[in-house]
Amino acid sequence: MLIVKEQGAYYEIEGERYPRVSSILSKLAKPALVGAATKVVAQAAAAGIYAGRDDEFDLLKGEARRQWNAKAQKGTEIHAAIASCLYGDEYDSAYQWAVEQAAEVINLLPGGWFETEQVLVNRDLGYAGTADLWSNFIVADWKSGGLWPDHALQLWAYANATHRVTDAGLLEIGAHERPQQLFVVGLRPEAPEIVRYNLADSHVDEMLGGAFRGLLAVHRWSKAKGLSTNEI
């Protein structure tokens, strides 16, 4: 039986450690987050939500992180609801809208079969990650927040996996099975937002692949130097 362990920023598969795709992408600078965090703190201060408390300053400093963590938790719950529905299990009815949107999107995707929550590994480049939806035609990921360019790098990494985890063990993915269509799906209460990338376009493939390989190199260098993301 294949043993897969999730250990923070790494997967351990068959005794080998692979950095998560999300950990690799964390090396990508996101300067816009500084401005966004400043705005959240300013709004909280102006509203006086912590006024009069002895720990007001500390609470204001952590307000952006708390709000982002709450959004991330909601995203996790939405992912869980969709996965449970696809597996035929019960799910939180509060996210019925997201489940219905996911079903609509799946019906639009090419191909007749897919795997959900598929753990993928690239043994050549040395990374692993979990795709929300994967087949030999497409790879898709559900997003409950904003849609950003680095999401395309995430899906490129999934599409270029060399193996996938199955009940029978690590199954090699042949070159002809490589997904060519990437779908970043923003789930919204009003209507889904879909951004599509076509890897059959060599320019798109090379651009995304070059960017991801560059971040992978930075990730390896930073780990070798013992640096955190904030120190790069």
Side-chain angles (χ1 to χ4, degrees), residues 14-37:
E14 291 189 330
E16 296 287 335
R17 294 181 80 216
Y18 298 92
R20 288 176 175 268
V21 170
S22 58
S23 178
I24 295 167
L25 295 180
S26 71
K27 305 305 178 187
L28 185 65
K30 298 179 180 178
L33 291 181
V34 177

Side-chain angles (χ1 to χ4, degrees), residues 129-150:
T130 301
D132 291 338
L133 207 68
W134 183 94
S135 78
N136 58 355
F137 295 100
I138 63 97
V139 60
D141 209 68
W142 315 119
K143 302 296 182 184
S144 56
L147 304 187
W148 306 102
D150 59 306

Side-chain angles (χ1 to χ4, degrees), residues 13 19 48 65 73 93-94 102 106 113 124 127 135 161 163 183 222 231:
I13 302 172
R65 178 56 56 194
Q73 177 58 34
S93 60
I106 289 172
W113 67 274
D124 297 331
Y127 65 80
S135 78
H163 294 75
F183 290 82
S222 66
E231 294 174 310

Side-chain angles (χ1 to χ4, degrees), residues 18 121-128 160-163 172-173 212-213 216 220:
Y18 298 92
V121 184
N122 187 308
R123 303 184 88 176
D124 297 331
L125 295 180
Y127 65 80
N160 282 272
T162 60
H163 294 75
E172 185 172 2
I173 300 171
F212 182 81
R213 288 187 177 93
L216 180 58
R220 289 172 177 164

Side-chain angles (χ1 to χ4, degrees), residues 21-22 25 28 30 79 132 139-159 182-188 193 195-197 199 208 212 215:
V21 170
S22 58
L25 295 180
L28 185 65
K30 298 179 180 178
H79 277 72
D132 291 338
V139 60
D141 209 68
W142 315 119
K143 302 296 182 184
S144 56
L147 304 187
W148 306 102
D150 59 306
H151 294 155
L153 304 182
Q154 176 189 13
L155 294 189
W156 182 92
Y158 295 159
L182 313 182
F183 290 82
V184 184
V185 183
L187 298 174
R188 312 283 184 263
E193 179 182 357
V195 179
R196 178 176 178 177
Y197 300 89
L199 296 187
L208 296 179
F212 182 81
L215 288 172

Side-chain angles (χ1 to χ4, degrees), residues 6-64:
E6 297 184 33
Q7 300 180 332
Y10 290 85
Y11 281 88
E12 184 176 315
I13 302 172
E14 291 189 330
E16 296 287 335
R17 294 181 80 216
Y18 298 92
R20 288 176 175 268
V21 170
S22 58
S23 178
I24 295 167
L25 295 180
S26 71
K27 305 305 178 187
L28 185 65
K30 298 179 180 178
L33 291 181
V34 177
T38 301
K39 181 178 179 180
V40 169
V41 172
Q43 289 174 335
I49 59 176
Y50 301 119
R53 295 184 52 159
D54 293 338
D55 55 351
E56 177 182 359
F57 181 69
D58 290 334
L59 288 170
L60 287 173
K61 284 198 303 180
E63 183 64 18

